[in-house]
Amino acid sequence: MRQDKSFEFARTLLSIAISLALAFAIIALSSKEPLAALRYFIIGPLDSASHIGNIIEMAIPLVFTGLYYSILFKSNLFNLGAEGLFFSSGLLSGMLGATTYMPPGLHPFVLILAGGLLGALLGLIPCAINYKWGASTLVVSLMMNSILYGICMFLLNNKFRDVSSYTIVTEPFQATAKLARIIPGTRVHAGAIIAIACCVFLYLFLNRTKWGYELRMLGSNKHFAEYSGMGVASIMFLAHAISGALAGIGGSVEVLGMYSKFQWTSLPGYGLDGALIALLAKSNPAVVPFAALFIAYIRNGADMMARLSDVPAEMVALVQAAIILLISSQALLKGLRERSLLSKLKGENANA
Amino acid sequence: MEPLLEARNISKVYPNGMAANRSVNFSLQKGEIHALAGENGAGKSTLMKILFGMEKPSEGELRLNGAPFSPSSPQDAISKGLGMVHQHFMLVPSFTIAQNVILGAAPRKGLSVDWKKAAQETADLSAKYNFSLDPNKRVEDLSVGMKQKVEIIKALYRGAKILILDEPTAVLTPQETAELFSQLFKLRESGITIVFISHKLKEVKAICNRITILRGGRNMGVFQVSDVSEQEISRLMVGRDVALKYDKDNIPPGDAILEINRLFLKNEDGKTKVSNVSLSVPGGRILGIAGVDGNGQNELARAVMGEIPIASGEIRICGKPATGKLQGVRQLETGYIPEDRMKQGTAGDASISDNLISIRLKSPEVCSKGILRKKKISALSESLVGLYRILCSSADQKVSMLSGGNMQKVVVARECSTSPKLLVADQPTRGVDVGSAELIHHKLLELRKNGTAILLVSADLNEVMELSDHLAIMFNGQISAYFEDPSQVSEEELGLYMLGLKKQEGIS
Amino acid sequence: MPSLVDMLLNPSFWFSVLRVTTPIIFAAIAALITDKAGIMNISMEGTMLFSALAGTIVSALTQSAWIGLLGAMAAGVLLSLTLAYFTLELKTDVILGGVAINLFADGGSIFILYLLTGDKGTSVSLASKVLPSVTIPLIDKIPVLGAIISGHNALTYIAAATVFAVYFMLKSTPLGLKIRAVGENSSAAQSVGVSAKKIQYLSLALSGLIASLGGAYMSMAYLPNFSRNMTSGRGWIALAAEAMGQGGVLATSAASLVFGFADAMANALQMFSLPAELVGIIPYVATVIGLILYSVRIKNAKKRRGASKKPL
């Protein structure tokens, strides 16, 4: 076990190291003042409380989509529907935030709950279609992103729009609806606490509950789950509902924490990032926040570098792509692993 | 006469230490139909894989037409004139017969495949050997027997002079089998040499010239088929190397736990796999089902566990009709050691501990109100690891890191430790080291002592003979013999029933 | 205010349908080729985007639209081969690999543009050489039809030719036979000496090549320069078209046309009081329904036959 984990860990570290080396190489090659650029990239995001706050603030939505994919990966399921759910729930919470009245504290809680419920319901749709008719979950979830986006934009534009504004936004949220800032001098909001709570909850759910256990067994070997007498279909529905709820909560938290009115006019793009975070965290909810912080850190670094030097921020996309490719490469370092396994087997035979 | 193809002193040892072939000699004369017979695991497949370039021998050499021959890939073997018809057909379902035949060796006309020529050549080959195949028919619409003919034509199209048929009749109806035989004679007449892998002795007698018998990876002899009786072949094929000895506690049998009544099972293609089987197992007894693989034993075990639907007849467990759903049968206090521990029996990248509790989620010791009780689970796992001597660093180790024997012990530990009323054990020690096998046997006997009814399916004669209180032998989906007391039966006699040479009167 | 009927009767509307369908058709056919070889390639969006950039840069540098097109093609093939290397050699999950390629192209294209020109997002200082439009003699004289079919960019005609070439290739050539065999039952292909890996490499390369033409169309025909995320989801739409076409070249092309029609319609309907957002989702809803209908059919056929054929 220890050996296995350390191997996975080594592979993750190696993937990150290669990707960062790639980043450094790109900076060195493309910048006229590489050392300064590198300094902005590496130290910039950490050099003041407000910069560190930026990292945390950016990590919050990443935690939610990271959890979304962690649950799916753990159950060996996959879809690309996080975007649409994130957007829809964000709009629902934003709209309700502008039009409902509730005491502070309770208000955002109810709104986020509503967002989570909507996410869970929407998340079940591709799963149900697949279960009932066998259509590909991946393609249906992709289509749903566009459909939900279209419906949301229609609703925003025609039903919830603030007519006094020149841009397509809702009316401003009630003061009670917004998530409070929790660290002075930064924009870090209470969503960070919710994100951590979700990670803890999911960690416990996966490792300490019957349903989490069944979900993990389904992910490890579907035939084994069936053979053991588990209801495989209901586990699949459960996985989709939970991941959908997480994306929904994430959308709501992001909208209520970062904005004073709903103002997205395009899909926020957190969907694919979630897959990256889950890969980095090996789908372990306890590691997801760290993976999210890491990605937020290199993004903020890239942003600072772009503002203060001559290297554009999009460099970070190359790093992210490299990380995904390397981490998901089953064959990377495989030779090493096989050799260690072989020597282990030999040791076992000698003992036996 | 110099042999067409010859294998000299072939040994094959797999990396896990299993010796599949030990100094095997095999020679093929031009124009003969040569049977290769042996039980499962006797080394037939390995030898054929070596001939066909799919495996490299650890020792020994091959000669083709007197010249050294070491095929590096199936493609290489094909180009040297070998053709193989696998048991699982290698066909593209949506393609037509002609498309399947010419795949990878298509005649061209400009940029395009010359479809006319492809169809014509397929039709010609088909006509030449009386195969009556329509080249433009889609393979997915063909019967199993037709698909097999497509495979043969495929090999012939590539110029095969030596045709290896891997248990070709296993999937055929009697009529199709008869048809195949007449076509094989036709092929032999036209100079094609055929290797016929089978353990159906009547068929071997009917069409083969010579026979090579393998047992335990060794060559037990080569004979003119006309010179040996089916009984002699059976004696050479079936037998045990070392007899196991276990002490069985003498306890009275309990109530009937498992009752099977006039059971019929069909596979997905509608072919009957089990017909008219009636058996019963009381508590505290082990019923062994012996037979050569593929004679319906596996289907019987799976039907009892509710994994495959019943065509007709009835299965009752503790008096209750089995629901036909695994989930339901699981709730009747049953344990199940499945045939394939990797595919079904374990979740590879989950821990040993996780693998041990999958059927205990309803037990308050493991899970209460949906919350897993970590401490109890880990205590339970530790004790099972100890009791079943599972060699591991801790119960948190991944199951996929275990050796085959230890992995199987995890399955056995899980299924036996719940003290089931009924245990279905399908090949419980296949591919398992001797030490683990012995431990598993002891655990089965322990269950027996505690009143569990055990249905033991095994191709390992040693195992069924030694463990079973009663023994049924399956051949071709039917019970060909039932022994109240198997200790009185000789191995030779068993062989006759297993290979379908004899059938008890008055059975089903 | 013009009526819907007027719009549908106006040849310029149908001209615009073909115009917006062109990149979708390229990408959908690209997806189809790998699908046929058993690979779910979702990197079309990224491949097109990256090729669009390469086309702009190379054509601007060489001052030749056609050499620019070659540059775009090379970029598309290179990207696809990268994906192929990771999935086939390093055993990266092909969908995650596709996700990575899309991420890379999204950021990488802007990054490279900035490095070369200092432009952020749009190639202001770097105008593409535009590929020529073609007036088809005789046909352009036919009333209505001429106005719809003639006068398109060369790549639109290349797209049509590609459809038929790929149709022929898959249906009738030895290579097409091998690709389909590998996708449907790779062990059957292996058993007769067809290397699945080689075929999958080849189909990914072909897919990159064809998707790159769609990318080139975006930056060298549809618009005369490169701009950030200019493919705006066409690669994903193409995946939907391919799923709706269910492996048929002609059906996939027809599905692409439906999307093109819906796209052109959404543009045109902005003149009317219909909500554009809802009109815009029609093709996606249609895809989901089409997929469901197809899957039901497969399921029923499977039940009838009792055989185990994997639905797509």
Side-chain angles (χ1 to χ4, degrees), chain A residues 125-148:
Chain A
I125 294 177
C127 179
I129 288 180
N130 177 265
Y131 177 74
K132 188 98 195 356
W133 296 294
S136 150
T137 319
L138 177 65
V139 178
V140 171
S141 67
L142 263 175
M143 294 303 98
M144 266 186 62
N145 286 342
S146 306
I147 294 171
L148 289 175

PDB file of all heavy atoms in Angstrom, chain A residues 125-148:
ATOM      1  N   ILE A 125     -30.041  14.059 -15.412  1.00  0.00           N
ATOM      2  CA  ILE A 125     -30.632  13.898 -16.746  1.00  0.00           C
ATOM      3  C   ILE A 125     -29.780  13.022 -17.682  1.00  0.00           C
ATOM      4  O   ILE A 125     -30.288  12.033 -18.215  1.00  0.00           O
ATOM      5  CB  ILE A 125     -30.933  15.275 -17.377  1.00  0.00           C
ATOM      6  CG1 ILE A 125     -32.030  15.974 -16.557  1.00  0.00           C
ATOM      7  CG2 ILE A 125     -31.385  15.117 -18.833  1.00  0.00           C
ATOM      8  CD1 ILE A 125     -32.368  17.361 -17.033  1.00  0.00           C
ATOM      9  N   PRO A 126     -28.488  13.340 -17.860  1.00  0.00           N
ATOM     10  CA  PRO A 126     -27.724  12.475 -18.781  1.00  0.00           C
ATOM     11  C   PRO A 126     -27.670  11.031 -18.303  1.00  0.00           C
ATOM     12  O   PRO A 126     -27.703  10.096 -19.110  1.00  0.00           O
ATOM     13  CB  PRO A 126     -26.322  13.081 -18.799  1.00  0.00           C
ATOM     14  CG  PRO A 126     -26.361  14.316 -18.006  1.00  0.00           C
ATOM     15  CD  PRO A 126     -27.681  14.442 -17.329  1.00  0.00           C
ATOM     16  N   CYS A 127     -27.606  10.868 -16.984  1.00  0.00           N
ATOM     17  CA  CYS A 127     -27.548   9.519 -16.422  1.00  0.00           C
ATOM     18  C   CYS A 127     -28.845   8.771 -16.709  1.00  0.00           C
ATOM     19  O   CYS A 127     -28.841   7.605 -17.121  1.00  0.00           O
ATOM     20  CB  CYS A 127     -27.290   9.609 -14.924  1.00  0.00           C
ATOM     21  SG  CYS A 127     -27.236   8.024 -14.099  1.00  0.00           S
ATOM     22  N   ALA A 128     -29.963   9.471 -16.530  1.00  0.00           N
ATOM     23  CA  ALA A 128     -31.257   8.831 -16.757  1.00  0.00           C
ATOM     24  C   ALA A 128     -31.426   8.479 -18.231  1.00  0.00           C
ATOM     25  O   ALA A 128     -31.908   7.391 -18.566  1.00  0.00           O
ATOM     26  CB  ALA A 128     -32.377   9.764 -16.298  1.00  0.00           C
ATOM     27  N   ILE A 129     -31.012   9.397 -19.099  1.00  0.00           N
ATOM     28  CA  ILE A 129     -31.131   9.120 -20.536  1.00  0.00           C
ATOM     29  C   ILE A 129     -30.282   7.914 -20.902  1.00  0.00           C
ATOM     30  O   ILE A 129     -30.687   7.037 -21.664  1.00  0.00           O
ATOM     31  CB  ILE A 129     -30.716  10.361 -21.351  1.00  0.00           C
ATOM     32  CG1 ILE A 129     -31.791  11.445 -21.218  1.00  0.00           C
ATOM     33  CG2 ILE A 129     -30.504  10.005 -22.819  1.00  0.00           C
ATOM     34  CD1 ILE A 129     -31.499  12.708 -21.961  1.00  0.00           C
ATOM     35  N   ASN A 130     -29.091   7.848 -20.324  1.00  0.00           N
ATOM     36  CA  ASN A 130     -28.212   6.714 -20.602  1.00  0.00           C
ATOM     37  C   ASN A 130     -28.812   5.419 -20.066  1.00  0.00           C
ATOM     38  O   ASN A 130     -28.783   4.380 -20.721  1.00  0.00           O
ATOM     39  CB  ASN A 130     -26.838   6.956 -19.983  1.00  0.00           C
ATOM     40  CG  ASN A 130     -25.918   5.782 -20.167  1.00  0.00           C
ATOM     41  OD1 ASN A 130     -25.803   4.921 -19.301  1.00  0.00           O
ATOM     42  ND2 ASN A 130     -25.290   5.711 -21.319  1.00  0.00           N
ATOM     43  N   TYR A 131     -29.388   5.495 -18.886  1.00  0.00           N
ATOM     44  CA  TYR A 131     -29.944   4.294 -18.264  1.00  0.00           C
ATOM     45  C   TYR A 131     -31.149   3.782 -19.041  1.00  0.00           C
ATOM     46  O   TYR A 131     -31.294   2.602 -19.315  1.00  0.00           O
ATOM     47  CB  TYR A 131     -30.324   4.602 -16.817  1.00  0.00           C
ATOM     48  CG  TYR A 131     -30.967   3.448 -16.089  1.00  0.00           C
ATOM     49  CD1 TYR A 131     -30.207   2.362 -15.677  1.00  0.00           C
ATOM     50  CD2 TYR A 131     -32.331   3.434 -15.822  1.00  0.00           C
ATOM     51  CE1 TYR A 131     -30.782   1.300 -15.018  1.00  0.00           C
ATOM     52  CE2 TYR A 131     -32.915   2.375 -15.167  1.00  0.00           C
ATOM     53  CZ  TYR A 131     -32.132   1.304 -14.767  1.00  0.00           C
ATOM     54  OH  TYR A 131     -32.713   0.245 -14.117  1.00  0.00           O
ATOM     55  N   LYS A 132     -32.005   4.739 -19.420  1.00  0.00           N
ATOM     56  CA  LYS A 132     -33.257   4.359 -20.056  1.00  0.00           C
ATOM     57  C   LYS A 132     -33.042   3.926 -21.506  1.00  0.00           C
ATOM     58  O   LYS A 132     -33.593   2.944 -21.968  1.00  0.00           O
ATOM     59  CB  LYS A 132     -34.224   5.545 -19.994  1.00  0.00           C
ATOM     60  CG  LYS A 132     -35.627   5.263 -20.428  1.00  0.00           C
ATOM     61  CD  LYS A 132     -36.517   5.017 -19.217  1.00  0.00           C
ATOM     62  CE  LYS A 132     -37.846   4.402 -19.439  1.00  0.00           C
ATOM     63  NZ  LYS A 132     -38.452   4.068 -20.604  1.00  0.00           N
ATOM     64  N   TRP A 133     -32.244   4.698 -22.228  1.00  0.00           N
ATOM     65  CA  TRP A 133     -32.144   4.442 -23.662  1.00  0.00           C
ATOM     66  C   TRP A 133     -30.736   4.067 -24.127  1.00  0.00           C
ATOM     67  O   TRP A 133     -30.546   3.699 -25.269  1.00  0.00           O
ATOM     68  CB  TRP A 133     -32.629   5.664 -24.444  1.00  0.00           C
ATOM     69  CG  TRP A 133     -34.080   5.946 -24.220  1.00  0.00           C
ATOM     70  CD1 TRP A 133     -35.124   5.154 -24.592  1.00  0.00           C
ATOM     71  CD2 TRP A 133     -34.653   7.084 -23.578  1.00  0.00           C
ATOM     72  NE1 TRP A 133     -36.310   5.739 -24.218  1.00  0.00           N
ATOM     73  CE2 TRP A 133     -36.051   6.928 -23.605  1.00  0.00           C
ATOM     74  CE3 TRP A 133     -34.118   8.235 -22.991  1.00  0.00           C
ATOM     75  CZ2 TRP A 133     -36.923   7.865 -23.054  1.00  0.00           C
ATOM     76  CZ3 TRP A 133     -34.987   9.165 -22.451  1.00  0.00           C
ATOM     77  CH2 TRP A 133     -36.380   8.978 -22.474  1.00  0.00           C
ATOM     78  N   GLY A 134     -29.759   4.265 -23.266  1.00  0.00           N
ATOM     79  CA  GLY A 134     -28.410   3.872 -23.665  1.00  0.00           C
ATOM     80  C   GLY A 134     -27.639   4.900 -24.467  1.00  0.00           C
ATOM     81  O   GLY A 134     -26.593   4.591 -25.021  1.00  0.00           O
ATOM     82  N   ALA A 135     -28.144   6.156 -24.545  1.00  0.00           N
ATOM     83  CA  ALA A 135     -27.407   7.179 -25.288  1.00  0.00           C
ATOM     84  C   ALA A 135     -26.184   7.631 -24.491  1.00  0.00           C
ATOM     85  O   ALA A 135     -26.214   7.665 -23.263  1.00  0.00           O
ATOM     86  CB  ALA A 135     -28.314   8.369 -25.580  1.00  0.00           C
ATOM     87  N   SER A 136     -25.120   7.982 -25.201  1.00  0.00           N
ATOM     88  CA  SER A 136     -23.845   8.311 -24.565  1.00  0.00           C
ATOM     89  C   SER A 136     -23.969   9.476 -23.583  1.00  0.00           C
ATOM     90  O   SER A 136     -24.425  10.561 -23.928  1.00  0.00           O
ATOM     91  CB  SER A 136     -22.816   8.647 -25.634  1.00  0.00           C
ATOM     92  OG  SER A 136     -21.873   9.568 -25.133  1.00  0.00           O
ATOM     93  N   THR A 137     -23.549   9.235 -22.337  1.00  0.00           N
ATOM     94  CA  THR A 137     -23.599  10.277 -21.317  1.00  0.00           C
ATOM     95  C   THR A 137     -22.728  11.464 -21.702  1.00  0.00           C
ATOM     96  O   THR A 137     -23.076  12.615 -21.461  1.00  0.00           O
ATOM     97  CB  THR A 137     -23.100   9.710 -19.975  1.00  0.00           C
ATOM     98  OG1 THR A 137     -23.618   8.413 -19.803  1.00  0.00           O
ATOM     99  CG2 THR A 137     -23.520  10.577 -18.830  1.00  0.00           C
ATOM    100  N   LEU A 138     -21.580  11.162 -22.294  1.00  0.00           N
ATOM    101  CA  LEU A 138     -20.635  12.229 -22.653  1.00  0.00           C
ATOM    102  C   LEU A 138     -21.269  13.206 -23.634  1.00  0.00           C
ATOM    103  O   LEU A 138     -21.260  14.418 -23.416  1.00  0.00           O
ATOM    104  CB  LEU A 138     -19.367  11.609 -23.245  1.00  0.00           C
ATOM    105  CG  LEU A 138     -18.321  12.597 -23.735  1.00  0.00           C
ATOM    106  CD1 LEU A 138     -17.753  13.393 -22.582  1.00  0.00           C
ATOM    107  CD2 LEU A 138     -17.206  11.883 -24.475  1.00  0.00           C
ATOM    108  N   VAL A 139     -21.829  12.694 -24.707  1.00  0.00           N
ATOM    109  CA  VAL A 139     -22.378  13.578 -25.738  1.00  0.00           C
ATOM    110  C   VAL A 139     -23.612  14.308 -25.199  1.00  0.00           C
ATOM    111  O   VAL A 139     -23.766  15.514 -25.401  1.00  0.00           O
ATOM    112  CB  VAL A 139     -22.722  12.792 -27.024  1.00  0.00           C
ATOM    113  CG1 VAL A 139     -23.331  13.723 -28.063  1.00  0.00           C
ATOM    114  CG2 VAL A 139     -21.481  12.136 -27.591  1.00  0.00           C
ATOM    115  N   VAL A 140     -24.461  13.577 -24.474  1.00  0.00           N
ATOM    116  CA  VAL A 140     -25.664  14.225 -23.944  1.00  0.00           C
ATOM    117  C   VAL A 140     -25.272  15.349 -22.977  1.00  0.00           C
ATOM    118  O   VAL A 140     -25.832  16.445 -23.013  1.00  0.00           O
ATOM    119  CB  VAL A 140     -26.580  13.200 -23.240  1.00  0.00           C
ATOM    120  CG1 VAL A 140     -27.706  13.909 -22.513  1.00  0.00           C
ATOM    121  CG2 VAL A 140     -27.158  12.221 -24.249  1.00  0.00           C
ATOM    122  N   SER A 141     -24.271  15.103 -22.138  1.00  0.00           N
ATOM    123  CA  SER A 141     -23.887  16.140 -21.183  1.00  0.00           C
ATOM    124  C   SER A 141     -23.300  17.351 -21.908  1.00  0.00           C
ATOM    125  O   SER A 141     -23.527  18.494 -21.520  1.00  0.00           O
ATOM    126  CB  SER A 141     -22.885  15.585 -20.161  1.00  0.00           C
ATOM    127  OG  SER A 141     -21.662  15.279 -20.768  1.00  0.00           O
ATOM    128  N   LEU A 142     -22.554  17.088 -22.980  1.00  0.00           N
ATOM    129  CA  LEU A 142     -22.014  18.197 -23.783  1.00  0.00           C
ATOM    130  C   LEU A 142     -23.146  19.036 -24.380  1.00  0.00           C
ATOM    131  O   LEU A 142     -23.124  20.264 -24.340  1.00  0.00           O
ATOM    132  CB  LEU A 142     -21.182  17.632 -24.934  1.00  0.00           C
ATOM    133  CG  LEU A 142     -19.691  17.553 -24.733  1.00  0.00           C
ATOM    134  CD1 LEU A 142     -19.052  16.867 -25.924  1.00  0.00           C
ATOM    135  CD2 LEU A 142     -19.110  18.925 -24.535  1.00  0.00           C
ATOM    136  N   MET A 143     -24.129  18.348 -24.942  1.00  0.00           N
ATOM    137  CA  MET A 143     -25.260  19.047 -25.546  1.00  0.00           C
ATOM    138  C   MET A 143     -26.006  19.840 -24.485  1.00  0.00           C
ATOM    139  O   MET A 143     -26.470  20.949 -24.712  1.00  0.00           O
ATOM    140  CB  MET A 143     -26.230  18.052 -26.191  1.00  0.00           C
ATOM    141  CG  MET A 143     -25.680  17.291 -27.375  1.00  0.00           C
ATOM    142  SD  MET A 143     -25.096  18.389 -28.670  1.00  0.00           S
ATOM    143  CE  MET A 143     -23.368  18.426 -28.348  1.00  0.00           C
ATOM    144  N   MET A 144     -26.088  19.235 -23.276  1.00  0.00           N
ATOM    145  CA  MET A 144     -26.823  19.910 -22.214  1.00  0.00           C
ATOM    146  C   MET A 144     -26.171  21.214 -21.827  1.00  0.00           C
ATOM    147  O   MET A 144     -26.853  22.170 -21.448  1.00  0.00           O
ATOM    148  CB  MET A 144     -26.941  18.993 -21.008  1.00  0.00           C
ATOM    149  CG  MET A 144     -28.247  18.221 -21.019  1.00  0.00           C
ATOM    150  SD  MET A 144     -28.459  17.272 -19.538  1.00  0.00           S
ATOM    151  CE  MET A 144     -28.513  18.514 -18.267  1.00  0.00           C
ATOM    152  N   ASN A 145     -24.848  21.278 -21.910  1.00  0.00           N
ATOM    153  CA  ASN A 145     -24.182  22.552 -21.633  1.00  0.00           C
ATOM    154  C   ASN A 145     -24.746  23.641 -22.517  1.00  0.00           C
ATOM    155  O   ASN A 145     -25.090  24.731 -22.055  1.00  0.00           O
ATOM    156  CB  ASN A 145     -22.673  22.427 -21.884  1.00  0.00           C
ATOM    157  CG  ASN A 145     -21.976  21.641 -20.800  1.00  0.00           C
ATOM    158  OD1 ASN A 145     -22.522  21.477 -19.710  1.00  0.00           O
ATOM    159  ND2 ASN A 145     -20.794  21.154 -21.086  1.00  0.00           N
ATOM    160  N   SER A 146     -24.826  23.362 -23.813  1.00  0.00           N
ATOM    161  CA  SER A 146     -25.309  24.378 -24.742  1.00  0.00           C
ATOM    162  C   SER A 146     -26.786  24.666 -24.532  1.00  0.00           C
ATOM    163  O   SER A 146     -27.227  25.813 -24.627  1.00  0.00           O
ATOM    164  CB  SER A 146     -25.070  23.929 -26.181  1.00  0.00           C
ATOM    165  OG  SER A 146     -23.720  23.605 -26.361  1.00  0.00           O
ATOM    166  N   ILE A 147     -27.547  23.600 -24.253  1.00  0.00           N
ATOM    167  CA  ILE A 147     -28.992  23.800 -24.058  1.00  0.00           C
ATOM    168  C   ILE A 147     -29.248  24.641 -22.806  1.00  0.00           C
ATOM    169  O   ILE A 147     -29.999  25.618 -22.833  1.00  0.00           O
ATOM    170  CB  ILE A 147     -29.698  22.427 -23.940  1.00  0.00           C
ATOM    171  CG1 ILE A 147     -29.591  21.667 -25.264  1.00  0.00           C
ATOM    172  CG2 ILE A 147     -31.158  22.610 -23.552  1.00  0.00           C
ATOM    173  CD1 ILE A 147     -30.065  20.226 -25.203  1.00  0.00           C
ATOM    174  N   LEU A 148     -28.575  24.266 -21.718  1.00  0.00           N
ATOM    175  CA  LEU A 148     -28.775  25.013 -20.475  1.00  0.00           C
ATOM    176  C   LEU A 148     -28.320  26.458 -20.644  1.00  0.00           C
ATOM    177  O   LEU A 148     -28.969  27.386 -20.158  1.00  0.00           O
ATOM    178  CB  LEU A 148     -28.002  24.342 -19.333  1.00  0.00           C
ATOM    179  CG  LEU A 148     -28.577  23.007 -18.854  1.00  0.00           C
ATOM    180  CD1 LEU A 148     -27.673  22.372 -17.816  1.00  0.00           C
ATOM    181  CD2 LEU A 148     -29.977  23.204 -18.293  1.00  0.00           C
TER     182      LEU A 148
END
